[in-house]
Amino acid sequence: MPYVRTVKTASGATAVQIVYSSHRGSRDIEHIGSAHDDVELELLKAVARQRLAAGQGVLDLGLEATDPARRGAGSGPLPITASRMDCLLDALEHAYRVLGFDQAAGGDEVFADLVLARIIEPVSKLDSLRVLEEAGVAAASYRTVKRRLPVYAKDSWRRQISAACAAHAGLGPASLVLFDVSTLYFETDAGDGFREPGFSKERRLEPQITIGLLTDQSGFPLMVSAFEGNKAETKTMLPVIESFMAAHQIPGVTIVADAGMVSEANQKAIEAAGLSFILGARIPDIPYVVAQWRREHPREQIPDGHVFTQPWPAGPTGGRRDQVIYYQYRHDRARRVLRGIDEQVRKAEQAVAGNAPVKRNRFIQLSGGTKSVNRDLEEKARALAGIKGYVTNLAACPDGMPVTAGFVIGAYHQLFQIEKSFRMAKSDLQARPAYHRTRDSIEAHLTVVFAALAVGRWIENQTGWSIRKFVKTARRYRTIQIQAGPHTITAADPLPGDLRQTIDHINGRAGVH
């Protein structure tokens, strides 16, 4: 009958062999391998036992070895005692520590686990425990998670997390910060003073909350604040900026925001606070500098990228600093705008002729019961096609150099970074608090999402991969522990070259991507 034997070799190793037959001193032997330590020996014995049992059925008597030294000693597969997404978890935990969240959170493991689970698979707090278990993390109980959530809603906790982000961003006087708002809706019919119907970014009628997000010029999050759903966007920016500056002792920043974020009163308040700004400028009429250029260059097309500069000095009683408005013309922008104007005018003409119902159209002019196409408005709209305005009160760039049109326009166009952060928060991190109802619970949820957003943006900046791609790729590679007799063996899936290079970027071994 075949059996497994071990033999000491001349080199001091232990050979593992299968003896199939022994007749008159002649043996049929298969050499499995030579072991140089106890772990290798147990592995080779397991291979030999499995080879002997190949093709044979095993009678299950319902008896399980209780002695750890006997587990894995049978002819069946070696048992896996642990499995963990080491590649993914190690990268996320490294980013969490680099951003200083471990110290800001005082080593709170529940908060760290919720942040990691939000990145791996954004689900409810209860289901996050399942995500952590699948990833190989020994998570706290749901009772513990619920007990810790009110702590994460406190202003002091959120300030600590925000302070870690500000320290990582390295903000100083006159640093550029981006601000924008979005809305998160709730599937309920009645408001409660916090969740209220208002102007929805998603054009929904349900109660909502308004979220103000402050980032640095790269889109890295610095602070998030929640406001009532019916609060005007223009009334959210200054409270966030002033709260952030006061909390982190920053003497001044330069605010970059879209024109829709700033009312005239809001702009005066920014000036009164001594802050600098770069804002999108509304253009109600054809600017003087543009009209003058066209008078001087009749029948000529404005060159692509041409910038008109219009100083706007402060008056003696204006209560503000000198400002400069830059108007830039772009061919692509003009082409898109003109195409929209042509479509709207065509619909207006159809409505005026009675061939289509009258709908909301800025080119339809009503006078009594008479409808007509507003040709003056059409002419002005065509004259402004392709022109965008940027206004600033900066006296100098953050590095002390004179302000240029290129700097102002380039800084404004960084607003796409904060839009990217909002998309990541809403899509990849599922920021909408679908399972939360009270304000404290919603605030705690947003704190977790905010920290997850910071980790995600940091990984994207380090690797050049989207956080969704990184998680989807890295979660497939696991590290497992196998019980072979009394020994525990660690094995891991080999990483492909691109993922290994990405991990090197995260760990700082290959420079920033």
Side-chain angles (χ1 to χ4, degrees), residues 211-226:
I211 302 299
L213 179 63
L214 187 70
T215 75
D216 70 1
Q217 60 183 332
S218 69
F220 181 77
L222 300 173
M223 186 176 184
V224 67
S225 296

Side-chain angles (χ1 to χ4, degrees), residues 198-462:
F199 176 76
S200 171
K201 297 281 186 179
E202 300 167 352
R203 299 186 178 184
R204 304 187 69 95
L205 301 178
E206 297 96 333
Q208 63 181 16
I209 59 173
T210 300
I211 302 299
L213 179 63
L214 187 70
T215 75
D216 70 1
Q217 60 183 332
S218 69
F220 181 77
L222 300 173
M223 186 176 184
V224 67
S225 296
F227 299 92
E228 295 79 3
N230 56 4
K231 195 176 187 70
E233 292 182 359
T234 56
K235 295 183 179 180
T236 61
M237 181 169 63
L238 201 56
V240 172
I241 300 290
E242 291 181 332
S243 174
F244 179 79
M245 291 172 57
H248 309 303
Q249 290 82 48
I250 298 175
V253 294
T254 299
I255 304 168
V256 183
D258 191 27
M261 291 301 308
V262 183
S263 64
E264 183 177 353
N266 211 6
Q267 188 168 325
K268 290 180 179 178
I270 294 173
E271 287 269 12
L275 300 176
S276 300
F277 58 75
I278 296 174
L279 307 172
R282 294 183 176 88
I283 312 177
D285 298 299
I286 300 174
Y288 172 80
V289 288
V290 175
Q292 183 183 27
W293 188 93
R294 283 177 169 153
R295 287 193 299 269
E296 295 173 353
H297 303 80
R299 294 184 299 276
E300 287 187 28
Q301 180 70 32
I302 301 176
D304 186 32
H306 185 77
V307 176
F308 303 92
T309 302
Q310 183 170 313
W312 190 13
T317 59
R320 64 173 179 83
R321 287 185 265 168
D322 291 343
Q323 298 179 8
V324 178
I325 305 176
Y326 298 100
Y327 300 100
Q328 185 189 49
Y329 176 83
R330 284 291 188 186
H331 284 327
D332 284 346
R333 187 187 299 131
R335 176 175 49 81
R336 292 192 300 269
V337 172
L338 288 173
R339 184 169 63 243
I341 292 174
D342 289 341
E343 180 66 17
Q344 285 186 307
V345 169
R346 184 187 64 79
K347 291 180 178 180
E349 291 173 342
Q350 290 291 320
V352 169
N355 298 325
V358 177
K359 294 184 178 180
R360 188 174 180 179
N361 189 313
R362 60 172 173 158
F363 295 113
I364 296 179
Q365 182 174 281
L366 298 176
S367 178
T370 306
K371 302 187 296 286
S372 63
V373 178
N374 191 335
R375 299 298 179 183
D376 292 337
L377 181 59
E378 177 190 355
E379 181 182 357
K380 185 176 76 171
R382 293 186 184 277
L384 290 173
I387 298 174
K388 184 168 182 62
Y390 313 85
V391 59
T392 182
N393 66 348
L394 272 174
C397 295
D399 58 3
M401 299 297 290
V403 178
T404 64
F407 172 80
V408 171
I409 295 172
Y412 180 85
H413 286 175
Q414 288 299 310
L415 283 174
F416 85 92
Q417 293 283 7
I418 195 170
E419 294 169 357
K420 181 180 178 181
S421 291
F422 263 131
R423 285 196 300 272
M424 180 190 295
K426 284 190 167 185
S427 176
D428 297 335
L429 303 178
Q430 296 291 307
R432 189 171 74 85
Y435 304 101
H436 300 270
R437 296 294 178 265
T438 65
R439 181 160 191 164
D440 280 352
S441 179
I442 293 169
E443 297 274 17
H445 169 78
L446 292 177
T447 304
V448 172
V449 172
F450 173 77
L453 176 61
V455 171
R457 285 307 303 249
W458 185 86
I459 287 180
E460 289 194 346
N461 292 338
Q462 291 293 110

